[in-house]
C-alpha cells in the first residue's frame, strides 16, 4: 500500500469516528456525556490536523512506490512515458502536480472524455472541472520540473 | 448477483415506480380528473432507434401510451396519414396545446437541407424548420436519445450535416433523456409524471433525477471486483471491466437495475463494458469503446 493510500485510510477512519461522535451528540441529553463527546471531537480534529501536516512533509520526499526509479520531479518528456498503454502507468499533470490516474474509476482504460494520460492537462481540467473538488481526491506522485 | 440487486427495496421500488406513475395517470384520465394531452413525436436526423426502443417497452408500453394516455397527433413512423396530409396534420397542431417529443439531432448546414422530413404546399420542410416552428410553442419539449440531447452519433466527427442538439436551436427548457437509445421506462416515467404533476425534478443538465442520478459504477453488480482490483482482460470475462475502458464510472443512469429489452439484461451483465451512451459527449468522447494493453495490474 502506498503512503497516499495509508494516509487516505487513516483519514477515512477519523472522519467516520467524527461522524459517529456527531450522531451520538444528537442522541444524548446528559450534559456530562455531551462534554465528553465534544472532547472526543476536539481530539479527532487534532488527529486530522496532525495527519495533514505529516502528509505535507511526505509529499516533499515522495517516491512512486510502484516505480521507485522514477524521480518525484518530472520533465515533460518523462511524463510522456506514462501513457497508460502497454503496461505503463497513467500519469496526468495539473497545475504543476503529477497525479496517478491508473486506478481512478473515471479514467477507465486510461482514457477520459477523449483525453489520454502522459500530458499536462491543466487547461482542459480548468475548462471541464473548474471549482469541483476533484484534485484533492487523486493520488499525487510528484511535481513537474519548474 | 442478480437477486442481490433486485432485492434491495430502494432499487426494486424504482422499477415499480414507472408502472405506478403510468397506472395513476391512466386511472385519472379514465375517471375524468385528468385530460389527455396531445403528443407530437418529431423525428429529425437520427436512426428511429428511440421509437423502436419504445415499441419494446412493457408495462407501460407503447399501446398504453397511444390508447390511454395521449392523443398522438404525429409520428412519421406510425401514423396512418402520409405525404402532404401528414405534414398538414403536424403543422395544424401549432396553435393547440401539445407536448413535443423529439428524437434525432438537427442538421443545420445549408439551412437544414440535409434532412427534409416532408413537403408542404409544394415546398420541402426541413427538420430545422420543423423544430424552429414547433419547439417554441410546445408546452413541454422532451429530447429523447443521444442525438436530440447532445448531437450524438449524428453529430459525430466529421459531422457533414453540421448536426446539433435540440437545445442548441431552442431558447427554452428542454427536458433531456440521453441514451442510445432512450430506455422506454425513462420516457414513459417522465411523460406520466408530466401528465400528473408537470415538470419532474431535473439535474443541472436537465435530466430527470428519477433516472439519471446515480452512476452505473455505484450500483454495478461488478463493483466488488473493482474494489478488490480484480479486472477483466478481455470481453467475456466476468469481472470488472475498468481496465478495458468501462464508462460506467462517468455515466449516471440506472441501467444496472432497469436493464434492457423488457428488463432482461444489459451490456455489463453480458460481459461487455458500458460505452457511456447515456452521457453527454457520446460517442466521440466515449471512444475508444474498448481498449487492450492498458495499465498493468498491481
Ligand atoms: C475534456 C475535459 C473533461 C470532461 C468533459 C470531463 C467530464 C467529466 C464528467 C462529466 C465527469 C462526471 C461524471 C458524473 O459523475 O456524472 C467527470 C468526472 C471526473 N473527471 Fe473529468 N472531464 C474532463 C477532464 C478531466 C481531467 C483533465 C481530469 C484529471 C486530471 C479529470 C478527472 C476526473 C475525475 C477524477 C472524475 C471523477 C470525479 C468524482 O469522483 O466525482 N477530468 N469528468
Ligand atoms: S464493470 Fe464498469 S461500472 Fe461495473 S464496477 Fe467495473 S468499472 Fe464500474
Amino acid at each position: 500500500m502506498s503512503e497516499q493510500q495509508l494516509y487516505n485510510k487513516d483519514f477515512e477512519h477519523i472522519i467516520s469516528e467524527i461522524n459517529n461522535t456527531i450522531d451520538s451528540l444528537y442522541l444524548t441529553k446528559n450534559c456530562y456525556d455531551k462534554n465528553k463527546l465534544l472532547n472526543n471531537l476536539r481530539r479527532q480534529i487534532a488527529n486530522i490536523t496532525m495527519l495533514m501536516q505529516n502528509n505535507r512533509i511526505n509529499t516533499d520526499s515522495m517516491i512512486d512506490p510502484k516505480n521507485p526509479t522514477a524521480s518525484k520531479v518530472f520533465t515533460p518528456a518523462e511524463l510522456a512515458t506514462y501513457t497508460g498503454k502497454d503496461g505503463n502507468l497513467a500519469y496526468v499533470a495539473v497545475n504543476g502536480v503529477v497525479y496517478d490516474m491508473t486506478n481512478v474509476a473515471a479514467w477507465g482504460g486510461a482514457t477520459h472524455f477523449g483525453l489520454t494520460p502522459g500530458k499536462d492537462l491543466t487547461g482542459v481540467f480548468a475548462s471541464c472541472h473548474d471549482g469541483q473538488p476533484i484534485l484533492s481526491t487523486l493520488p499525487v506522485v510528484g511535481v513537474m520540473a519548474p | 448477483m442478480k437477486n442481490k440487486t433486485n432485492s434491495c427495496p430502494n432499487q426494486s421500488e424504482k422499477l415499480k415506480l414507472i408502472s405506478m406513475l403510468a397506472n395513476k395517470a391512466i386511472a385519472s384520465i379514465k375517471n375524468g380528473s385528468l385530460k389527455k394531452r396531445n403528443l407530437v413525436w418529431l423525428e429529425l436526423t437520427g436512426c428511429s432507434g428511440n421509437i423502436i426502443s419504445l415499441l419494446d417497452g412493457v408495462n407501460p408500453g407503447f399501446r398504453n401510451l397511444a390508447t390511454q394516455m395521449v392523443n398522438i397527433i404525429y409520428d412519421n413512423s406510425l401514423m396512418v396519414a402520409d405525404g402532404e396530409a401528414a405534414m398538414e396534420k403536424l403543422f395544424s397542431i401549432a396553435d393547440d396545446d401539445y407536448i413535443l417529443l423529439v428524437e434525432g439531432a438537427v442538421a443545420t448546414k445549408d439551412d437544414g437541407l440535409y434532412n427534409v422530413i416532408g413537403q408542404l404546399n409544394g415546398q420541402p420542410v426541413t427538420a430545422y424548420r420543423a423544430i424552429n416552428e414547433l419547439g417554441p410553442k410546445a408546452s413541454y419539449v422532451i429530447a429523447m436519445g443521444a442525438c436530440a440531447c447532445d448531437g450524438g452519433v449524428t453529430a459525430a466527427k466529421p459531422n457533414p450535416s453540421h448536426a446539433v442538439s435540440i437545445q442548441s436551436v431552442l431558447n427554452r427548457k428542454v427536458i433531456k433523456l440521453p441514451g442510445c437509445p432512450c430506455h422506454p421506462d425513462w420516457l414513459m416515467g417522465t411523460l406520466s409524471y408530466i401528465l400528473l404533476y408537470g415538470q419532474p425534478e431535473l439535474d443541472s443538465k436537465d435530466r430527470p433525477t428519477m433516472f439519471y442520478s446515480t452512476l452505473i459504477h455505484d450500483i454495478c453488480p461488478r463493483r466488488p471486483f473493482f474494489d478488490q482490483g480484480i479486472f477483466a482482460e478481455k470481453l467475456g470475462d466476468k469481472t470488472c471491466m475498468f481496465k478495458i475502458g468501462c464508462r460506467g464510472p462517468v455515466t449516471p443512469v440506472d441501467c444496472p437495475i432497469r436493464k434492457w429489452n423488457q428488463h432482461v439484461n444489459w451490456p455489463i451483465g453480458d460481459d461487455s463494458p458500458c460505452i457511456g451512451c447515456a452521457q453527454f459527449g457520446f460517442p466521440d468522447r466515449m471512444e475508444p469503446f474498448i481498449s487492450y494493453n492498458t495499465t498493468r495490474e498491481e
Side-chain angles (χ1 to χ4, degrees):
Chain A
M1 205 182 270
S2 73
E3 270 165 0
Q4 184 71 28
Q5 280 167 320
L6 270 175
Y7 167 74
N8 286 344
K9 229 178 167 143
D10 282 346
F11 211 88
E12 274 162 24
H13 185 77
I14 300 176
I15 297 277
S16 63
E17 264 182 20
I18 290 186
N19 280 325
N20 275 335
T21 312
I22 292 175
D23 287 345
S24 314
L25 268 170
Y26 272 113
L27 291 175
T28 176
K29 297 212 163 61
N30 180 318
C31 69
Y32 299 104
D33 280 346
K34 217 166 233 167
N35 278 345
K36 216 166 115 192
L37 288 167
L38 282 170
N39 243 327
N40 279 351
L41 210 51
R42 272 253 155 76
R43 189 174 43 79
Q44 285 150 351
I45 289 174
N47 283 347
I48 285 202
T49 319
M50 222 156 68
L51 207 59
M52 280 166 70
Q53 277 165 358
N54 281 346
N55 188 59
R56 216 165 289 145
I57 298 161
N58 284 343
T59 345
D60 289 344
S61 59
M62 189 177 293
I63 285 175
D64 174 12
K66 292 173 208 145
N67 194 353
T69 54
S71 62
K72 64 183 173 68
V73 179
F74 291 80
T75 62
E78 233 177 313
L79 180 66
T81 63
Y82 293 87
T83 55
K85 287 210 182 89
D86 302 321
N88 289 304
L89 298 171
Y91 288 1
V92 165
V94 178
N95 301 328
V97 180
V98 181
Y99 298 95
D100 181 1
M101 311 304 281
T102 309
N103 291 311
V104 174
W107 281 65
T111 53
H112 178 81
F113 289 86
L115 303 170
T116 50
K119 295 183 195 131
D120 189 319
L121 296 177
T122 305
V124 256
F125 185 84
S127 70
C128 298
H129 287 303
D130 194 29
Q132 293 174 9
I134 288 183
L135 292 177
S136 57
T137 66
L138 302 176
V140 175
V141 284
V143 292
M144 291 304 286
Chain B
M1 271 188 278
K2 206 175 187 179
N3 290 339
K4 216 184 215 169
T5 319
N6 288 345
S7 63
C8 167
N10 184 26
Q11 306 194 347
S12 50
E13 287 308 310
K14 272 196 175 172
L15 276 183
K16 280 188 226 150
L17 179 69
I18 314 307
S19 52
M20 270 165 55
L21 281 172
N23 288 339
K24 188 158 183 202
I26 290 169
S28 308
I29 287 169
K30 232 179 227 162
N31 73 24
S33 60
L34 203 64
K35 244 186 69 200
K36 266 194 187 183
R37 305 278 288 260
N38 295 322
L39 182 84
V40 173
W41 186 295
L42 199 55
E43 181 182 355
L44 303 182
T45 324
C47 69
S48 310
N50 294 286
I51 186 72
I52 300 287
S53 173
L54 178 64
L55 293 176
D56 271 344
V58 281
N59 192 22
F62 176 76
R63 192 188 291 255
N64 304 97
L65 176 71
T67 61
Q68 297 172 293
M69 297 169 73
V70 294
N71 303 312
I72 301 187
I73 303 298
Y74 176 90
D75 180 321
N76 61 317
S77 311
L78 303 172
M79 69 197 297
V80 177
D82 63 0
E84 196 127 337
M87 280 293 113
E88 273 165 16
K89 201 162 174 218
L90 173 62
F91 284 99
S92 71
I93 195 70
D95 297 324
D96 234 326
D97 169 72
Y98 61 98
I99 296 170
L100 182 65
L101 276 170
V102 189
E103 69 171 310
V106 193
T108 60
K109 195 176 174 189
D110 298 338
D111 238 359
L113 259 184
Y114 281 67
N115 185 10
V116 173
I117 64 167
Q119 302 271 336
L120 191 62
N121 306 325
Q123 293 295 314
V125 177
T126 62
Y128 193 28
R129 173 180 157 196
I131 188 68
N132 273 317
E133 283 187 25
L134 294 165
K137 293 177 190 153
S139 48
Y140 293 92
V141 177
I142 305 176
M144 256 174 311
C147 294
C149 292
D150 192 40
V153 175
T154 309
K157 273 181 219 141
N159 193 1
S161 66
H162 294 183
V164 299
S165 70
I166 306 307
Q167 187 72 78
S168 316
V169 296
L170 289 184
N171 185 16
R172 60 162 295 160
K173 176 71 86 190
V174 175
I175 298 173
K176 302 187 182 73
L177 307 176
C180 193
C182 175
H183 195 294
D185 284 4
W186 303 337
L187 175 63
M188 293 300 293
T190 305
L191 211 53
S192 305
Y193 195 98
I194 287 178
L195 293 177
L196 285 165
Y197 312 113
Q199 181 180 296
E201 188 193 357
L202 304 177
D203 70 5
S204 61
K205 290 175 177 162
D206 294 329
R207 300 170 287 195
T209 52
M210 242 191 300
F211 308 109
Y212 296 89
S213 55
T214 312
L215 287 174
I216 285 180
H217 183 64
D218 289 342
I219 44 172
C220 179
R222 302 203 178 186
R223 180 60 185 265
F225 290 111
F226 178 87
D227 292 337
Q228 302 284 323
I230 302 170
F231 298 119
E233 285 168 12
K234 56 181 189 314
L235 294 179
D237 288 355
K238 301 281 174 200
T239 50
C240 167
M241 288 173 280
F242 165 68
K243 293 273 175 184
I244 55 176
C246 182
R247 304 297 177 211
V250 290
T251 309
V253 78
D254 62 6
C255 295
I257 52 166
R258 198 164 301 287
K259 304 196 178 111
W260 289 77
N261 297 328
Q262 310 192 351
H263 316 291
V264 173
N265 206 348
W266 65 302
I268 290 178
D270 212 14
D271 310 329
S272 91
C274 165
I275 58 173
C277 77
Q279 176 57 290
F280 293 88
F282 174 84
D284 285 352
R285 294 189 129 181
M286 292 299 156
E287 287 174 4
F289 293 157
I290 179 131
S291 317
Y292 290 111
N293 297 330
T294 60
T295 54
R296 90 178 152 253
E297 283 172 35
E298 301 283 291

